[in-house]
Each structure stands twice: as structure tokens, then as C-alpha cells.
């Protein structure tokens, strides 16, 4: 699992929670350059991507992950209208989110990725 989130408290909570539910966090990034580096080099099966990372957008990271054929889910407080142009139909979890909602959406996206 790759997590890209600029809020350190949310990142820590996600890492702990997802680990508690049996997921292995292969990496987490708090900036787009760091996320690009991880997306290109780390082995992971699923990603959770915040749409806005500080002043930057997640678009180049989503492009890399999509090109690798790895399923991912966006998190955002801006709703579907805030998604990157090429990913308007991508799975999304709106902030503030609940653990159950994240887990369900991640499971669904992983299942969809395996069926494609």
C-alpha cells in the first residue's frame, strides 16, 4: 500500500489503522516529488492518494500509478469535481472519512483492478 497525504496526523492515523487491518504500508509520502519517487520505485498493490498535496496536485503521481496498472483511490475534501481531469470516474473517499469507508473503497478498487 502506498499512501500520499500531506497532513502528518492523517498519514500516521492511516498507517496505523491500515496496518491494524492487515495491510502492509510499503511507503508514505507528504510531497509530490517524494510521491513520484515512491510511485516509480516501490512495489505496492494499491494506493491511497490525497488530491491536493500542499500547493501541488496529485496528477503526475496518479499518472505513474495508472501507467503501472496499480489500482488507487483518491481522498479529497473537494468532492468529485476536484479530481484530476483524466480521473473523474476514479474511486474516491471524501474527507472527513471513516475507516470503514476507506477499507470498503480500497477493497472494491483492488477487486476491480484484479478483474481487469
Amino acid at each position: 500500500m502506498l499512501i500520499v497525504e500531506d497532513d502528518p496526523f492523517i498519514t500516521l492515523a492511516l498507517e496505523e489503522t491500515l496496518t491494524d487491518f492487515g495491510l502492509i504500508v510499503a511507503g508514505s509520502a507528504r510531497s509530490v516529488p517524494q510521491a513520484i519517487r515512491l510511485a516509480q520505485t516501490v512495489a505496492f498493490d494499491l494506493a491511497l492518494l490525497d488530491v491536493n498535496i500542499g500547493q501541488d496536485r496529485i496528477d503526475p503521481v496518479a499518472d505513474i500509478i495508472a501507467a503501472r496498472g496499480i489500482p488507487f483511490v483518491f481522498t479529497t475534501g473537494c468532492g468529485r469535481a476536484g479530481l484530476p481531469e483524466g480521473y473523474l470516474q476514479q474511486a474516491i473517499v471524501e474527507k472527513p472519512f471513516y475507516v470503514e469507508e476507506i477499507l470498503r473503497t480500497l477493497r472494491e478498487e483492488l477487486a476491480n483492478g484484479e478483474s481487469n
Side-chain angles (χ1 to χ4, degrees), residues 5-106:
E5 167 63 56
D6 59 346
D7 184 311
F9 298 109
I10 293 175
T11 301
L12 182 60
L14 285 170
E15 288 173 346
E16 289 178 1
T17 302
L18 296 174
T19 299
D20 287 347
F21 281 92
L23 293 163
I24 297 169
V25 177
S28 58
R30 292 181 42 206
S31 70
V32 169
Q34 183 183 28
I36 288 171
R37 200 167 34 259
L38 291 174
Q40 291 172 330
T41 61
V42 172
F44 58 95
D45 299 319
L46 188 58
L48 191 60
L49 309 176
D50 188 3
V51 172
N52 295 304
I53 305 297
Q55 299 299 315
D56 296 323
R57 301 259 309 155
I58 198 68
D59 304 39
V61 180
D63 291 342
I64 292 165
I65 294 171
R68 289 182 64 183
I70 299 171
F72 61 93
V73 173
F74 287 119
T75 64
T76 182
C78 301
R80 190 159 292 282
L83 294 181
E85 187 67 33
Y87 300 99
L88 296 177
Q89 300 306 313
Q90 189 67 34
I92 180 176
V93 177
E94 292 192 50
K95 295 178 179 180
F97 43 69
Y98 296 96
V99 172
E100 297 80 16
E101 182 182 13
I102 289 175
L103 292 171
R104 178 181 44 76
T105 306
L106 289 172

